[in-house]
């Protein structure tokens, strides 16, 4: 502890800590001062850690949540994309397994005339990350400076990069501290973290995909709905159109988990093929993006237009254009066998016959991390080639010895550990299972703000 | 934040934080590991700050409180006074205004044959501290090393020093962190802090004086009782005899506030004179110390014996002996006019006639701090000579112009600020007031442990 640091801002910081501890509502000014002082390193980590724990246990009002989001948003640069005539719309997912929708949606919505300035994250824990998937494309550069990001966006209507130092620096500091102080799990802090970064992109509208189920961070649907409502209300208070779809993450989305394998599936979808659940979710989210982006009169029209853009090849061409503008090798889009390939594959075979009753989604994600396809710590590097292709999903019938999944691997030892997890993930029952839970549970918000 | 520090012990520390955050009971081993790692600087302040806030808001079970006390106690040296044949008994007060009972009780109990190894603190905020009072005696040394402390104790049966680096270092680190993170106000943390230091003294029994009222940290009697019960139970679990007296701090104890002025009053009491409330509380606390110390068969006998020791002059001689052994100038005991004297005094006169209805006790303590007799920050030095002598206390009648109090001061400007506070502290009513609250509200525990 640095007593000097403690004493400089001490009176103010400790008053804010005590007030939250005692369950009083903080004013916008108090939150703004606290966040901006912390961003300038004028409040020590230990004071902020105590405050964060008080927030986790006391919660926040809607006003406090909006004030925190606003303070974090304004801790850094807020992009001004007003020179682009199109409406700026982004999509954000709270993270899942096999969720590669962003790679489909950015070019799809851009092809429809919406501008998509997408700043994404990396995978952490059992969930994948958009940046890791993009980097499976040889040469693809996710670290563009803001000026270049804007030029790509102007040229092709979408651009996908990682967080820059200029965007919401308070969130980066706060997130690192939350990670080591047991203060990640607060809907108020999660909302402020997500919304501050997204709103700093200079967007007009946002479509949120809030996952719930065994593979999601929020296992419980009520928690997912609570967070979704919080984010929608917070975004609307800041003058944005926001909707949230509560979607199922009881099993991986699509059939592939692993970065290059997921890009293959993205290209499949953009070619009008690919697994039904992934296509369905992409069209639903795209429908909302087109509607909020003002290029469709309603969601149904947005979905229809999206289907047409896939069928005509325009969505794929837009993806190819973005890959090229961001330095990626477009031959890997034209011929996905040019993407990184693992040296070996092996099948996980069914121990019995019956029906797939359930799939432990988080374990499948963890199996991919074990193969080297994800990271347990931020500093880990990922192997783009490895991963898992699911051959059977919930509700399907299987006979003993039939493949449940194929493991793409570069290390025998890791493949064996992954195999155990995958085997254990599949629950097989004798009788056909109860109907699957729907892919889209609910929609929160109407996008009718302003 | 130092990420290296976070990662070394990260898994363990964060699990302990999360468990407390989620309101699960921590095991003795978890608390022990957490406290000892922090003492060795192996857990960063920010993790401990988050944990402390979780403890403030979630509370602790009795088992957890005992485990925390034990871990803090064993973070440093625990004195072994088993070579002394007498039972070792200490007294601790939660802090008040004009509370100089420790200076009376240590020699009084020692004169009765109890050993009193007393490690005390300094004043902070509006409350006075035993060490500051002792240091008003020219030459008195409160910074004895442990070996010398034990020799004085052996020679005269009592010794009064400040906390050493060896005793409960975890408490020192934790307290400094609590002070700047809004985590002071938790009965569990207060209990562990007090009891770990006191039990490290190697005592057999402890008499607690838990103050309640306008001049106490715990304004609310229920809070005081809760803390008292917690401390008694924690001490008993550790095999000690412990009682707690809930005593009134609605007005200062005795008539003097200020270090040298309080020593004068201590000598008065030891001479069989002095104010009634102070004498009464000293006898009550001494009665308990003698009973728990095994030199009286019950509290009443302990009180009677204490009165005799005062009447015979033995208690005063013991005080004189301790002062001499700790380097103090005994002439100041024989002739209190040799204690530090302020350059000037001034009377605060009553603005009207009537009865003293109440006295804002914390304000009187603050007035003494303003005069220079206490400290607002740990690093402030104190002026032993300044202070306040109360001429009127609650229930007494007063006529307009009569002195309410006398200010002993060395700075006109400070005296004026103190005067305003003192004047505002006195509430005068036309009619005799409702009866005074009793000095001793309740006794918690029986001291019948073991």
């Amino acid at each position: 502890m640095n007593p000097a640091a403690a004493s400089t801002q001490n009176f103010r910081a400790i008053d804010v800590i005590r007030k939250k501890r005692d369950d009083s509502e903080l004013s916008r000014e108090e939150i703004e001062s606290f966040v901006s002082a912390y961003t300038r390193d004028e409040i020590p980590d230990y004071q902020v850690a105590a405050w964060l724990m008080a927030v986790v246990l006391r919660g926040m009002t809607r006003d406090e949540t909006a004030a925190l989001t606003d303070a974090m948003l304004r801790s850094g640069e807020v992009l001004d994309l007003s020179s682009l005539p199109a409406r700026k719309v982004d999509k954000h997912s709270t993270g899942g397994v096999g969720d590669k929708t962003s790679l489909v949606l950015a070019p799809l919505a851009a092809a429809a005339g919406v501008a998509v300035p997408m700043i994404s994250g990396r995978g952490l824990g059992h969930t994948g990350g958009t940046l890791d998937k993009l980097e499976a494309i040889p040469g693809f550069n996710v670290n563009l400076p803001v000026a270049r990001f804007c030029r790509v966006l102007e040229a092709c209507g979408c651009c996908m990069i990682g967080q820059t130092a200029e965007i919401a620096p308070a969130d980066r500091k706060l997130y690192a501290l939350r990670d080591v102080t047991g203060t990640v799990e607060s809907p108020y802090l999660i909302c402020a973290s997500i919304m501050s970064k997204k709103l700093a992109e200079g967007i007009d509208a946002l479509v949120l995909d809030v996952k719930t189920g065994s593979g999601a961070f929020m296992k419980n649907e009520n928690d997912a709905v609570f967070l979704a409502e919080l984010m929608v209300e917070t975004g609307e208070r800041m003058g944005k159109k926001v909707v949230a779809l509560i979607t199922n993450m009881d099993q991986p989305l699509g059939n592939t988990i692993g970065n290059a394998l997921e890009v293959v599936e993205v290209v499949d979808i953009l070619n009008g093929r690919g697994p039904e659940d992934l296509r369905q979710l992409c069209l639903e989210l795209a429908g909302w993006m087109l509607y909020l982006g003002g290029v469709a009169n309603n969601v149904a029209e947005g979905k229809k237009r999206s289907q047409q853009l896939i069928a005509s090849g325009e969505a794929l061409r837009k993806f190819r254009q973005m890959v090229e503008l961001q330095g990626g090798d477009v031959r890997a889009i034209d011929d996905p066998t040019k993407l990184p390939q693992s040296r070996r594959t092996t099948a996980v075979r069914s121990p019995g016959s019956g029906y797939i009753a359930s799939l432990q989604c988080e374990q499948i994600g963890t199996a991919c991390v074990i193969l080297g396809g994800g990271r347990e710590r931020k500093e880990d590097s990922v192997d783009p080639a490895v991963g898992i292709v699911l051959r059977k999903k919930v509700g399907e019938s299987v006979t003993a010895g039939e493949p449940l999944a194929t493991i793409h691997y570069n290390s025998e030892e890791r493949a064996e550990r992954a195999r155990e997890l995958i085997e254990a993930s599949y629950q097989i029952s004798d009788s056909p299972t109860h109907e699957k839970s729907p892919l889209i549970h609910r929609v929160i918000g109407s996008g009718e703000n302003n």
Side-chain angles (χ1 to χ4, degrees), chain A:
Chain A
M1 189 178 36
N2 172 358
S7 62
T8 41
Q9 268 281 341
N10 201 16
F11 263 99
R12 278 272 309 293
I14 199 155
D15 290 345
V16 171
I17 297 168
R18 286 197 178 123
K19 202 167 168 185
K20 180 43 67 185
R21 176 197 71 191
D22 296 341
D23 215 11
S24 299
E25 186 175 32
L26 297 174
S27 69
R28 178 165 281 268
E29 292 66 36
E30 286 168 325
I31 291 174
E32 161 64 27
S33 305
F34 195 80
V35 169
S36 68
Y38 184 51
T39 310
R40 293 191 307 267
D41 294 323
E42 289 172 10
I43 306 180
D45 285 316
Y46 51 82
Q47 289 190 315
V48 178
W51 181 80
L52 287 168
M53 184 58 82
V55 169
V56 168
L57 295 179
R58 290 300 199 186
M60 279 191 150
T61 64
R62 294 297 188 273
D63 282 341
E64 288 178 308
T65 308
L68 178 60
T69 304
D70 195 43
M72 288 165 64
L73 158 69
R74 291 191 290 106
S75 69
E77 191 175 339
V78 180
L79 300 190
D80 178 6
L81 301 177
S82 57
S83 63
L84 285 180
R87 277 209 207 149
K88 276 65 70 178
V89 183
D90 194 7
K91 188 237 37 162
H92 177 82
S93 156
T94 59
V97 179
D99 180 5
K100 66 277 287 177
T101 56
S102 289
L103 279 71
V104 174
L105 291 166
L108 182 51
V114 172
V116 186
M118 196 180 269
I119 298 180
S120 302
R122 298 199 174 270
L124 190 60
H126 70 280
T127 66
T130 295
L131 300 182
D132 298 325
K133 295 170 203 199
L134 289 167
E135 285 181 344
I137 301 165
F140 196 100
N141 184 1
V142 299
N143 300 311
L144 304 185
V146 165
R148 178 118 175 262
F149 173 72
C150 293
R151 279 203 304 276
V152 172
L153 186 60
E154 212 165 329
C156 87
C158 59
C159 186
M160 301 177 79
I161 61 167
Q163 214 189 329
T164 70
E166 295 82 23
I167 299 275
D171 177 65
R172 223 174 10 265
K173 275 197 81 169
L174 284 169
Y175 193 85
L177 186 59
R178 284 167 60 203
D179 197 36
V180 293
T181 54
T183 52
V184 168
E185 297 88 345
S186 159
Y188 311 98
L189 298 175
I190 293 170
C191 169
S193 174
I194 291 174
M195 297 302 286
S196 65
K197 281 181 292 194
K198 288 285 137 183
L199 299 184
E201 292 170 350
I203 52 176
D204 302 300
L206 177 64
V207 178
L208 293 160
D209 181 3
V210 180
K211 305 288 191 188
T212 182
S214 68
F217 285 111
M218 271 148 300
K219 315 286 184 213
N220 179 309
E221 179 157 352
N222 288 341
D223 293 343
V225 169
F226 185 84
L227 174 62
E229 288 174 342
L230 206 55
M231 292 195 290
V232 169
E233 186 176 329
T234 302
E236 286 179 347
R237 277 168 176 252
M238 299 171 87
K240 310 299 176 185
K241 292 176 193 282
V242 187
V243 292
L245 279 65
I246 309 292
T247 73
N248 186 274
M249 190 38 72
D250 270 331
Q251 61 176 341
L253 189 63
N255 297 331
T256 63
I257 306 103
N259 298 304
L261 293 169
E262 293 193 44
V263 173
V264 176
E265 207 167 56
V266 164
V267 174
D268 278 352
I269 293 287
L270 290 172
N271 271 312
R273 298 188 300 266
E276 187 51 33
D277 61 344
L278 177 60
R279 179 177 33 247
Q280 197 190 322
L281 184 58
C282 285
L283 289 175
E284 196 69 32
L285 292 167
W288 277 102
M289 289 177 78
L290 268 54
Y291 168 51
L292 299 189
V295 299
N297 289 311
N298 52 54
V299 178
E301 195 183 305
K303 284 171 73 169
K304 198 169 167 202
R305 176 102 177 87
S306 300
Q307 281 174 302
Q308 289 164 348
L309 289 164
I310 289 171
S312 67
E314 287 177 76
L316 181 64
R317 276 195 293 281
K318 188 56 79 179
F319 185 51
R320 202 177 179 282
Q321 184 188 7
M322 181 185 74
V323 169
E324 189 159 27
L325 285 168
Q326 294 198 238
D329 184 349
V330 290
R331 290 171 304 174
I333 307 305
D334 301 335
D335 174 9
T337 64
K338 296 211 159 60
L339 286 165
Q341 307 269 342
S342 70
R343 285 191 293 277
R344 315 188 67 157
T345 63
T346 177
V348 180
R349 291 181 190 281
S350 180
S353 299
Y355 298 85
I356 310 300
S358 69
L359 242 173
Q360 257 301 328
C361 187
E362 182 164 341
Q363 284 183 29
I364 299 282
T366 303
C368 182
V369 173
I370 286 170
L371 291 170
R375 48 173 72 77
E376 290 184 68
R377 297 167 193 214
K378 286 197 190 73
E379 56 277 17
D380 294 346
S381 64
V382 300
D383 180 346
V386 300
I388 299 152
V389 179
L390 303 179
R391 303 296 174 189
K392 297 286 178 188
K393 293 186 72 178
V394 174
E396 293 182 46
S397 67
V398 65
T399 55
E402 217 185 339
L404 293 169
T406 306
I407 300 174
H408 292 241
Y409 68 97
N410 285 324
S411 147
E412 294 285 349
E413 183 267 329
R414 287 168 176 238
E416 279 318 298
R417 286 166 58 206
R419 175 192 298 280
E420 281 171 33
L421 268 183
I422 295 166
E423 274 173 0
S425 306
Y426 276 90
Q427 301 289 318
I428 296 166
S429 78
D430 291 339
S431 49
T433 49
H434 54 284
E435 64 272 25
K436 282 192 294 180
S437 38
L439 187 60
I440 294 158
H441 294 207
R442 296 176 56 174
V443 178
I444 310 285
S446 64
E448 286 306 327
N449 197 38
N450 292 355

